[in-house]
Amino acid sequence: MKTNATLSVVIPVFNEQENLLELLERSLKACRSVNAPFEIILVDDGSRDRSPEMLRAAADKNPGDFIAVLLNRNYGQHAAVMAGFAHAKGDVIVSLDADLQNPPEEIPNLYRKMVSEDLDVVAGIRVPREDSALRKIPSWCVNRITQKVTGVKMHDYGCMLRAYSARVVQAMLQCTEQSTFIPVLANSFAKHTAEIEVKHAARTRGDSKYSIFKLINLQFDLLTSMTTFPLRLLSYLGAVIAFFGLALGVFILIERLVQGEVWAAQGVFTLFAILFIFIGAQFVGMGLMGEYIGRIYRDVRGRPRYLVHEVKGVSRLAAP
Ligand code: UDP
Ligand code: MG
């Protein structure tokens, strides 16, 4: 990547009026210290406090430095970041939270890492993480599952303080699906990735915008956006139940032969064995259906199938 690569910073804002002034000041200072052309894109995610006015005022006061993108209602953090991406023109795009839990002072570090090593994604790892246990435990589970499913070992998928190359951002914008989990989506298009440790602060002003329900929703977004494995689980479960039924049947038969007619409680257990076999078969059938649904789901999402890194040479032929 060229050394004076341009920088876009994307920040989603949802009812963050208490944090905005400090955020704007600190991120502006951090971006200026980078010594490259930059823009800070603030996406208001349908705030009901004074955030939209404050963002408009900032864009008026520092034209070029701040760009305010105001959404008409609340669409969620990841949708807001996507809206910011759609307006970002930089070679390097950094995203961070508006609540100052991600210190803007880390922006230059991410930028430098991206440029000097020509990476697709640089992810932050929050050390030490300043959140409540209630917030950390789900994160831990999500990280483990995501690492397993994607095969990409990143330590902190929940950290939104990250840098992306313009190429990866363009690919993400081509994904038309409604539910997105950006850090994971980015990884599916990235080749060269790196992680750096970033600071993390406790939230001092305002409340977390994630209730437990929103969190669960987000985890489902993450899981379903990555894999259709849960559907396949049905088949496995069915196979296990059917096998159990079959084994029970064989066992009953043997006992009947060995112990004679008194055994087997007048066929009750035999009924169970047959029942299990049928239930198992049903699950296998559902799993098969799931396979097709999974495929439909993948096609409907219409994600780009591949990303060209470079084309060298000019074609001699006219376009057909
Ligand atoms: N956010 C948003 N839309 C939402 C929820 C959150 O744009 O519906 C923004 C919020 O303003 C903040 C970031 O996403 O900049 C992270 O939110 P929060 O700090 O509440 O999440 P937590 O740190 O608890 O994960
Ligand atoms: Mg936060």
Side-chain angles (χ1 to χ4, degrees):
M1 209 177 282
K2 49 190 193 289
T3 46
N4 64 337
T6 53
L7 168 68
S8 297
V9 176
V10 173
I11 311 178
V13 176
F14 181 50
N15 296 340
E16 301 280 6
Q17 59 181 10
E18 299 95 339
N19 294 312
L20 273 186
L21 281 183
E22 189 182 335
L23 173 80
L24 297 179
E25 189 192 308
R26 280 170 61 185
S27 38
L28 189 59
K29 205 164 147 220
C31 285
R32 284 193 173 137
S33 75
V34 167
N35 275 331
F38 70 90
E39 59 183 358
I40 301 171
I41 300 173
L42 298 140
V43 186
D44 177 69
D45 189 16
S47 302
R48 282 178 286 269
D49 63 357
R50 288 187 46 246
S51 304
E53 299 153 45
M54 293 170 79
L55 296 185
R56 273 199 211 99
D60 276 341
K61 198 169 148 224
N62 300 58
D65 291 342
F66 292 120
I67 296 164
V69 177
L70 311 176
L71 305 184
N72 65 336
R73 68 165 181 84
N74 181 248
Y75 291 94
Q77 180 185 2
H78 291 257
V81 174
M82 279 296 200
F85 283 166
H87 288 82
K89 302 212 168 59
D91 301 316
V92 173
I93 294 109
V94 173
S95 67
L96 72 150
D97 288 351
D99 57 358
L100 294 169
Q101 287 195 274
N102 302 140
E105 289 70 31
E106 300 280 0
I107 296 172
N109 302 337
L110 288 167
Y111 173 87
R112 274 194 287 274
K113 182 96 180 160
M114 280 288 285
V115 173
S116 64
E117 295 176 28
D118 198 8
L119 298 164
D120 290 320
V121 174
V122 174
I125 310 174
R126 295 169 283 186
V127 276
R129 172 124 186 234
E130 303 285 350
D131 271 323
S132 64
L134 211 65
R135 194 69 187 71
K136 278 190 213 168
I137 294 165
S139 286
W140 183 86
C141 300
V142 169
N143 275 329
R144 292 309 300 267
I145 296 172
T146 317
Q147 284 174 6
K148 264 239 134 42
V149 170
T150 58
V152 185
K153 287 251 174 321
M154 281 204 163
H155 292 89
D156 194 355
Y157 278 99
C159 178
M160 285 301 276
L161 183 51
R162 285 162 174 264
Y164 309 98
S165 66
R167 194 168 7 141
V168 166
V169 165
Q170 283 311 318
M172 286 197 274
L173 286 172
Q174 283 181 47
C175 300
T176 51
E177 65 228 50
Q178 293 283 317
S179 313
T180 40
F181 194 87
I182 291 169
V184 175
L185 190 60
N187 272 3
S188 63
F189 295 113
K191 185 170 177 205
H192 304 291
T193 61
E195 294 183 286
I196 61 173
E197 293 192 351
V198 294
K199 294 208 179 61
H200 192 233
R203 206 185 229 280
T204 50
R205 279 163 291 188
D207 300 320
S208 171
K209 305 298 179 283
Y210 280 100
S211 63
I212 189 79
F213 291 113
K214 248 182 156 178
L215 269 181
I216 292 172
N217 218 340
L218 197 67
Q219 317 312 349
F220 271 117
D221 276 358
L222 196 155
L223 192 71
T224 54
S225 76
M226 273 335 292
T227 171
T228 50
F229 178 73
L231 290 173
R232 197 164 290 168
L233 222 53
L234 285 174
S235 297
Y236 293 148
L237 186 68
V240 170
I241 295 175
F243 177 78
F244 179 70
L246 219 64
L248 188 64
V250 171
F251 172 72
I252 289 169
L253 197 69
I254 293 171
E255 285 293 290
R256 170 71 181 72
L257 294 177
V258 174
Q259 313 235 11
E261 262 176 51
V262 281
W263 210 79
Q266 278 146 354
V268 174
F269 290 119
T270 319
L271 209 60
F272 269 112
I274 295 170
L275 201 65
F276 276 132
I277 294 172
F278 275 108
I279 291 175
Q282 264 172 8
F283 268 99
V284 172
M286 275 200 281
L288 270 180
M289 216 134 67
E291 282 293 320
Y292 285 97
I293 293 174
R295 264 146 240 250
I296 294 170
Y297 177 59
R298 217 169 42 214
D299 283 354
V300 164
R301 278 190 310 206
R303 282 188 188 173
R305 215 175 281 149
Y306 52 77
L307 211 60
V308 175
H309 180 64
E310 194 182 334
V311 179
K312 208 155 170 59
V314 205
S315 169
R316 194 181 290 122
L317 309 179

